[in-house]
Amino acid sequence: MSALSASATGASYLILLQFLSRGLTFGVNQVLLRFLSPSLLGISTQLELYVISVLYFARESFRIAVQRQPAVQQSESPKEKVPQGLIDSQTPGGRTQSVVNIAYLSIYLGLPLAYGLGRVYILSTVPEVLDTPYFRESLNLYGVAAFWELLTEPCFVVVQQKLLYKIRAAAESAATIVRCGLTAAIAIYATRNGKDLGVLPFALGQMGYSFILLVVYYWRLWNISAYGGFSLSAQPLFSRDPSLYVLKYWSRPVLSLATSLYIQTGIKHVLTQGDALLMATFSTLADQGVYAVASNYGGLVARMLFQPIEESSRNLFSALLSSSKLEKQNMDIAASTLATLLRFYLVFCTIAVAIGPTIAPSLLALILGSRWTQYGAGAVLASYCYYIPLLALNGVTEAFISSVATSAELRIQSLWMFVFSGIFAASGFVFLQVLGWGAQGIVAANACNMLLRIAWSMRFIKAHLKSRGANLDLWGMIPSYGTFAAAGAATATMSGTSRTFDGTSWDLLKCTPIAGSTLLLIFYFERDFLMQCYRLLFAKGNTPKVESS
């Protein structure tokens, strides 16, 4: 299978998975939000941040480093006898065992991280949170759930390396169904029986998710490991160059890269989750709940569509550029693919900015009723529509950088991201504390942060490609003049139409003809580019092969 075809297939499965999981979560949220107060939702958001932080700091740098591990190079020296109890690191099974061993480092890190971050959370939170019913029990359950999810990491790296996306889709789909069903059932039961369980239904739902994920992954991969020459437990490796492995278990080059990535990914996580951190520091629980509603709905498209594309593109770029074989051809393919993705995102940005801010508040009111819009969630969601395109562009550019940057370049990126984090924190303080913008201030601070990161990433990518004889055509990524004209006309028309809104479902019906005609016009003006995307994804035999075992 070609690298591009494998990436496209993986993206398709992941997008379908995201549609299923986010669709189910969306449906359950509609039920839960009718029972939850903004303050309770704010606490659940903090607990979710706790789990995300444990998982991210424990595994993200190892995941990226493993993806950049080069393909197996068979030794030309006479074959040596492999000692009993060891796995030959030069075989496909040995390469898989190498990434499994690396995955266990995530598990070892997970325990102290879960405990340490949990203690930090308890010591730094406000009494209102600590007084919430079953808060400490819920926090402990979230910690256990995070550790259970880390136990699936050996399976995850095998799935990624062997492109077994169906297994990942099956595991995460089943786990999502259980989490949604369990959370909704417990919340509804407690409400009908007059019990105040606080955020305990979310904690139990997260426990169910991690348990099912663990069971399905090991069940589906157990036979594959038995016949594939590797184990899902950590095993010592035999190498003709013992210096390549630490204690015969862990690849020294991968460990070195992961160490360089750890600081960079840590800063990236602080920036990515900086909105939640700033909200927790400078705003009330009610404001945090309002922002959580707006960001969950606003980021729905980003998580369902752009996150799988970002992940698959990172796999593609790593497969194409992790070795010197066919370097020039692979570099040209990577540059062309990146340019196509960026133009696709820019077309989406144009649509989102033209239509989203006007219809988003009315859509939220239709889904959740006027209760949440009275808290200002509609206005925050409208602002979020300007932020989503920046989130998408940043994701794919940083995916490329994480696939090609050297350790020294990653350290430079870390320094710049540290600078950006300071600017983000300062702008957040001004928008929240000085100007009093509330949740909308966090959206504005996030936008400033993303613009800086995108500008730095594009500068790096241009220089990197130029140094290797490739080029990124910036002008070729810009949508057509017709697209901008259609978007401008839609924005003006939507603005005039919004003055007649009366807060009913008729508001959306008034916007439907405008939105529909705008989409048709943009599809027409971008028809040649869209056909190019289709041929790029489904053409066969024109890309280099990728090692998948």
Side-chain angles (χ1 to χ4, degrees):
M1 179 180 288
S2 72
L4 188 55
S5 298
S7 178
T9 301
S12 299
Y13 279 118
L14 295 180
I15 289 172
L16 289 174
L17 171 63
Q18 289 295 325
F19 268 97
L20 173 63
S21 62
R22 299 300 174 183
L24 282 171
T25 304
F26 180 85
V28 171
N29 282 343
Q30 306 324 299
V31 177
L32 295 178
L33 288 174
R34 298 183 182 276
F35 300 106
L36 295 177
S37 65
S39 298
L40 200 58
L41 185 59
I43 297 173
S44 72
T45 301
Q46 292 181 3
L47 288 170
E48 184 179 352
L49 174 63
Y50 160 69
V51 171
I52 292 173
S53 298
V54 171
L55 296 176
Y56 197 93
F57 283 115
R59 70 190 184 189
E60 187 66 16
S61 63
F62 295 116
R63 283 186 172 186
I64 297 174
V66 162
Q67 286 177 341
R68 292 179 58 175
Q69 179 172 265
V72 179
Q73 300 294 328
Q74 298 292 345
S75 174
E76 296 181 0
S77 61
K79 191 171 183 179
E80 300 179 36
K81 183 178 180 181
V82 178
Q84 187 175 2
L86 302 182
I87 298 176
D88 190 347
S89 63
Q90 289 190 328
T91 64
R95 181 171 181 260
T96 302
Q97 187 64 56
S98 177
V99 302
V100 169
N101 290 352
I102 290 292
Y104 272 87
L105 295 176
S106 301
I107 299 175
Y108 303 151
L109 276 175
L111 273 176
L113 279 171
Y115 175 79
L117 291 178
R119 292 297 302 169
V120 169
Y121 181 25
I122 289 177
L123 293 174
S124 60
T125 195
V126 296
E128 182 183 355
V129 174
L130 296 175
D131 293 339
T132 301
Y134 300 101
F135 169 75
R136 292 181 182 272
E137 292 84 352
S138 299
L139 178 62
N140 291 336
L141 290 177
Y142 267 102
V144 173
F147 182 71
W148 282 2
E149 188 167 344
L150 286 173
L151 291 177
T152 68
E153 200 61 16
C155 300
F156 179 88
V157 295
V158 172
V159 165
Q160 291 296 100
Q161 187 195 61
K162 295 184 174 295
L163 309 178
L164 303 174
Y165 294 108
K166 287 184 179 180
I167 293 179
R168 179 180 172 186
E172 295 189 13
S173 298
T176 299
I177 291 171
V178 170
R179 176 173 58 189
C180 291
L182 196 58
T183 303
I186 295 173
I188 293 173
Y189 169 81
T191 301
R192 289 182 175 177
N193 289 272
K195 299 181 181 293
D196 185 3
L197 298 182
V199 291
L200 188 60
F202 292 96
L204 293 173
Q206 190 66 31
M207 286 281 289
Y209 175 88
S210 300
F211 177 75
I212 297 299
L213 197 69
L214 189 65
V215 170
V216 175
Y217 260 136
Y218 278 94
W219 171 54
R220 294 294 300 272
L221 285 173
W222 198 262
N223 287 336
I224 294 176
S225 66
Y227 291 104
F230 65 94
S231 171
L232 292 176
S233 61
Q235 297 293 328
L237 294 163
F238 170 75
S239 173
R240 288 151 187 84
D241 183 358
S243 66
L244 291 178
Y245 285 86
V246 177
L247 302 177
K248 297 184 179 180
Y249 281 89
W250 300 293
S251 167
R252 193 178 299 274
V254 173
L255 279 180
S256 177
L257 179 60
T259 302
S260 299
L261 285 166
Y262 196 85
I263 297 176
Q264 188 257 351
T265 54
I267 296 174
K268 181 180 178 181
H269 176 68
V270 172
L271 286 173
T272 303
Q273 301 298 329
D275 51 0
L277 295 173
L278 281 180
M279 288 294 290
T281 304
F282 295 129
S283 64
T284 65
L285 285 175
D287 281 340
Q288 293 175 48
V290 169
Y291 179 77
V293 169
S295 62
N296 284 337
Y297 283 92
L300 195 62
V301 174
R303 290 188 294 269
M304 292 172 69
L305 179 61
F306 298 133
Q307 182 179 330
I309 292 176
E310 175 187 338
E311 187 172 333
S312 296
S313 65
R314 185 166 58 196
N315 288 340
L316 169 64
F317 296 142
S318 296
L320 288 171
L321 307 174
S322 61
S323 69
S324 58
K325 186 178 180 181
L326 297 175
E327 182 177 355
K328 182 62 171 66
Q329 179 188 357
N330 287 2
M331 186 63 69
D332 289 339
I333 294 171
S336 175
T337 303
L338 178 61
T340 301
L341 283 173
L342 289 174
R343 177 162 180 177
F344 174 78
Y345 280 180
L346 288 173
V347 171
F348 169 82
C349 293
T350 307
I351 297 172
V353 171
I355 299 174
T358 302
I359 67 173
S362 299
L363 187 61
L364 185 67
L366 178 65
I367 295 172
L368 296 181
S370 60
R371 177 168 172 257
W372 281 93
T373 55
Q374 289 174 353
Y375 288 110
V380 178
L381 182 58
S383 302
Y384 210 90
C385 292
Y386 296 101
Y387 170 63
I388 294 172
L390 301 178
L391 193 65
L393 290 170
N394 179 73
V396 73
T397 54
E398 291 192 351
F400 185 91
I401 291 174
S402 67
S403 301
V404 302
T406 64
S407 297
E409 289 169 335
L410 289 172
R411 285 193 290 270
I412 293 174
Q413 185 189 23
S414 297
L415 290 175
W416 276 105
M417 293 183 75
F418 181 77
V419 173
F420 297 156
S421 67
I423 296 174
F424 169 68
S427 61
F429 175 80
V430 171
F431 294 144
L432 284 170
Q433 293 289 93
V434 178
L435 300 179
W437 287 4
Q440 287 179 284
I442 287 294
V443 179
N446 271 324
C448 294
N449 170 40
M450 286 298 164
L451 283 171
L452 291 171
R453 289 167 64 174
I454 291 169
W456 189 93
S457 297
M458 292 301 297
R459 181 177 178 274
F460 174 91
I461 291 169
K462 284 282 290 181
H464 181 86
L465 292 176
K466 184 178 180 180
S467 68
R468 285 156 179 79
N471 183 50
L472 187 65
D473 183 11
L474 295 179
W475 288 108
M477 295 185 302
I478 299 176
S480 65
Y481 293 123
T483 297
F484 286 125
T491 301
T493 309
M494 286 278 196
S495 177
T497 304
S498 65
R499 297 189 182 97
T500 66
F501 286 177
D502 55 9
T504 65
S505 57
W506 286 103
D507 295 343
L508 284 176
L509 292 177
K510 295 174 185 177
C511 295
T512 300
I514 304 171
S517 58
T518 302
L519 288 175
L520 289 175
L521 283 172
I522 290 177
F523 288 159
Y524 173 77
F525 290 125
E526 299 293 337
R527 62 191 184 280
D528 292 337
F529 169 68
L530 295 176
M531 285 302 301
Q532 176 189 339
C533 293
Y534 177 84
R535 288 191 295 268
L536 180 67
L537 289 176
F538 296 102
K540 297 181 179 180
N542 59 345
T543 53
K545 302 293 181 181
V546 58
E547 181 73 37
S548 61
S549 62

